[in-house]
């Protein structure tokens, strides 16, 4: 057990999580999409029942901040009217499903164009089948999740999931356990996904209610029939126009309700992504809305920063204000992770540079995580800036 509090579950709308600025209320968009009316209602709810700040999570969910015990009930009523609330906490907790935002052009003609024969089921049909199967899953850990990554090549490889639906190079659907390079050929998505989840439980994947597929695979325990490789994954997309629409980014995955109101007013479906970006489906030009990043070279895109102080009660210092100060001075091509404590929630993996708040300034870690051994300790914001600005800066 580490010094910080590790929670074995993810917050939802019906079961929010208490944070430094109130209840964090997470909305899991059904099938990974929001109608303009739903997006507008979420923006209105953030203003009426929260503090107007909306986060986009690493699992492509939206979370409202600053909700109070008194405002939570009316918030749920408003979201329920838009079809955004599950019937109960158990159903909500099971719906850990990330769906690829890129799913247009999945017509039969598109299928044949991609692969020369009809081998695809469209992503919405698959998402509905997997959603329906969730209620028949065995009891799974709270963070256990699924990724429906069914474009011609995977795009969700970096997103957190335990069981992935992907395509082989010839377009055949496979079910791949996280951590293993090969997957099983899929015959019936619901039945096969339940079988793999049941295998996970039966083979010791769960201890004290917790466990992840990658940890089980790392112990050399592999599901049967995993013989097919997925197609080569695509890199994380950048903001810009894509065949499915306009992809816009949010600094640190956060926006104000006014930004979501303006997006909803465009009248397009919105698909949240796990990349701190929203896909504005069918848009043919980049929207000019305050609070959106549309320039793929914006250095903020290379910075990850958790909530930090004062939003997180465990934070030992500020993160995002400092990140905005540092962004213009971040060396080209380098990534920076600012963490409010050693837990490193926003970026569990290594970054080129990591600054971890300690209560006595920030520690600097090179090519490591928020809790790796630092190269420099006790840095003030000014000292960090001076390092970055110096022409002969030791690249921090
Ligand atoms: S890493 Fe950031 S968000 Fe996570 S507990 Fe620490 S301060 Fe809070």
């Amino acid at each position: 057990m580490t010094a910080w509090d590790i929670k074995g579950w993810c917050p939802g709308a019906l079961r929010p999580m208490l944070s430094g600025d109130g209840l964090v209320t997470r909305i899991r968009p059904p099938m990974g999409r929001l109608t303009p009316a739903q997006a507008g209602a979420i923006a209105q709810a953030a203003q009426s029942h929260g503090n107007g700040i909306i986060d986009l999570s690493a699992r492509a969910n939206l979370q409202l901040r600053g909700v109070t015990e008194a405002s939570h009930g009316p918030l749920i009523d408003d979201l329920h009217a838009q079809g955004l609330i599950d019937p109960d906490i158990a159903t909500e907790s099971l719906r850990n499903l990330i769906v690829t935002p890129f799913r247009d052009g999945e017509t039969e003609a598109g299928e044949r164009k991609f692969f020369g024969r009809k081998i695809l089921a469209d992503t919405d049909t698959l998402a509905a089948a997997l959603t329906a199967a969730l209620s028949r899953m065995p009891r799974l850990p709270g963070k256990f999740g699924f990724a429906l990554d069914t474009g011609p090549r995977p795009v969700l490889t970096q997103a957190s999931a335990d069981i992935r639906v992907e395509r082989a190079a010839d377009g055949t659907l496979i079910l791949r356990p996280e951590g293993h390079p090969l997957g099983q050929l899929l015959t019936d998505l619901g039945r096969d996904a339940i079988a793999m989840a049941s295998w996970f439980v039966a083979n010791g994947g769960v201890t004290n209610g917790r466990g992840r597929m990658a940890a089980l695979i790392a112990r050399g325990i592999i599901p049967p029939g995993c013989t097919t490789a997925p197609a080569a994954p695509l890199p994380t997309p950048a903001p810009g126009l894509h065949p499915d629409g306009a992809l816009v980014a949010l600094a640190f995955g956060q926006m104000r309700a006014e930004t979501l109101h303006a997006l909803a007013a465009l009248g397009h479906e919105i698909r949240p992504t796990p990349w701190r970006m929203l896909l504005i489906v069918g848009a043919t030009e980049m929207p000019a809305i305050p609070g959106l990043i549309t320039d793929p070279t914006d250095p903020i895109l290379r910075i990850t920063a958790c909530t930090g102080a004062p939003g997180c009660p465990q934070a030992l210092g500020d993160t995002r204000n400092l990140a905005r100060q540092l962004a213009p001075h971040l060396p080209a091509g380098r990534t920076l992770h600012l963490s409010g404590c050693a837990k490193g929630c926003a970026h569990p993996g290594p970054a080129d540079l990591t600054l971890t708040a300690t209560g006595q300034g920030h520690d600097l870690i090179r090519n490591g995580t928020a809790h790796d051994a630092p190269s420099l300790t006790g840095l003030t914001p000014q000292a960090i800036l001076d390092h970055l600005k110096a022409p002969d800066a030791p690249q921090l």
Side-chain angles (χ1 to χ4, degrees):
M1 189 73 183
T2 55
W4 51 80
D5 178 22
I6 297 174
K7 293 183 170 59
W9 53 279
C10 300
L14 296 173
R15 185 171 63 156
M17 183 182 285
L18 186 61
S19 189
D21 55 357
L23 296 172
V24 174
T25 305
R26 182 173 294 178
I27 302 162
R28 306 176 188 209
M31 313 278 279
R33 61 199 335 165
L34 294 170
T35 65
Q38 288 174 324
I42 291 171
Q44 186 57 49
Q47 289 174 315
S48 302
H49 308 302
N51 61 12
I53 293 175
I54 303 167
D55 288 329
L56 175 57
S57 81
R59 290 193 179 194
N61 297 315
L62 294 180
Q63 53 192 31
L64 311 191
R65 304 196 69 95
V67 176
T68 65
E69 285 193 20
S71 67
H72 183 250
L75 167 65
I76 295 300
D77 290 344
D78 287 357
L79 296 177
H80 187 266
Q82 291 293 330
L84 293 167
I85 297 297
D86 290 289
D88 51 57
I89 291 176
T91 307
E92 177 183 83
S93 302
L94 282 166
R95 208 158 50 76
N96 277 335
L97 170 62
I98 307 175
V99 185
T100 175
F102 300 130
R103 64 184 90 157
D104 289 344
E106 289 182 329
T107 61
E108 285 195 18
E111 292 159 10
R112 293 195 178 103
K113 187 172 147 197
F114 278 133
F115 301 114
R117 59 194 170 96
K118 185 181 177 187
I119 43 182
L120 305 184
D122 71 90
T123 298
D124 281 345
T125 302
L126 294 168
L130 189 50
T131 302
L134 292 177
S135 63
R136 308 197 304 278
M137 292 283 170
R139 191 174 174 83
L140 294 166
K143 289 183 179 285
F144 196 95
F146 300 82
L148 200 56
D149 199 2
T150 43
R153 291 170 59 185
V155 292
L156 301 177
T157 310
Q158 301 302 317
S160 175
D162 296 83
I163 296 179
R164 299 177 182 278
V165 187
E166 297 170 332
R167 293 189 185 278
D170 67 354
T172 308
L173 286 165
I174 65 170
L175 200 62
R176 186 170 68 84
E178 174 68 358
H180 192 59
L182 306 176
Q184 303 169 342
L185 291 176
L186 201 68
T187 52
D188 178 301
L189 175 55
R191 189 192 64 199
D192 295 351
I194 291 170
M196 187 174 282
S198 301
W199 171 90
F200 169 78
V201 173
N203 283 273
V206 187
T207 304
N208 297 327
R210 296 181 179 181
R212 300 299 301 265
M213 181 68 82
L216 185 61
I217 297 290
R219 286 159 49 196
I221 305 172
I222 312 294
C226 289
T227 56
T228 304
L234 290 166
T236 299
L241 291 177
H242 294 259
D244 293 56
L247 200 54
V248 295
L250 308 172
F252 318 122
Q254 192 170 81
M255 63 183 155
R256 294 208 54 85
E258 292 82 353
T259 300
L260 187 56
H261 265 306
L263 281 169
L266 296 176
H268 294 272
E269 178 180 308
I270 296 172
R271 295 181 193 153
T273 81
W275 315 306
R276 298 186 288 172
M277 296 186 225
L278 298 166
L279 180 69
I280 315 306
V281 179
T284 54
E285 56 188 47
M286 295 301 284
I289 294 174
L292 298 180
I293 299 172
T294 55
D295 177 359
T297 67
D298 193 316
I300 285 280
L301 297 172
R302 290 184 279 118
I303 302 181
T304 310
C306 72
T307 301
C312 175
Q314 297 173 65
L316 299 171
D318 162 64
T319 53
R320 292 179 176 169
N321 289 330
L322 181 56
R324 289 183 193 279
Q325 288 179 57
L326 299 180
H329 311 288
L330 184 63
R334 308 296 293 271
T335 57
L336 171 63
H337 173 200
L338 271 143
S339 190
C341 77
K343 187 175 178 183
C345 306
H347 188 71
D352 292 336
L353 308 168
T354 298
L355 289 164
T356 301
T358 63
Q360 284 85 44
H362 286 80
D363 284 358
L364 172 77
I365 299 109
R366 294 188 178 93
N367 302 313
T369 69
H371 52 270
D372 284 339
S375 304
L376 298 169
T377 59
L379 296 171
T380 63
Q382 190 58 51
I384 299 165
L385 264 174
D386 289 346
H387 273 291
L388 283 175
K389 287 179 177 174
D392 59 345
Q395 296 298 293
L396 272 184

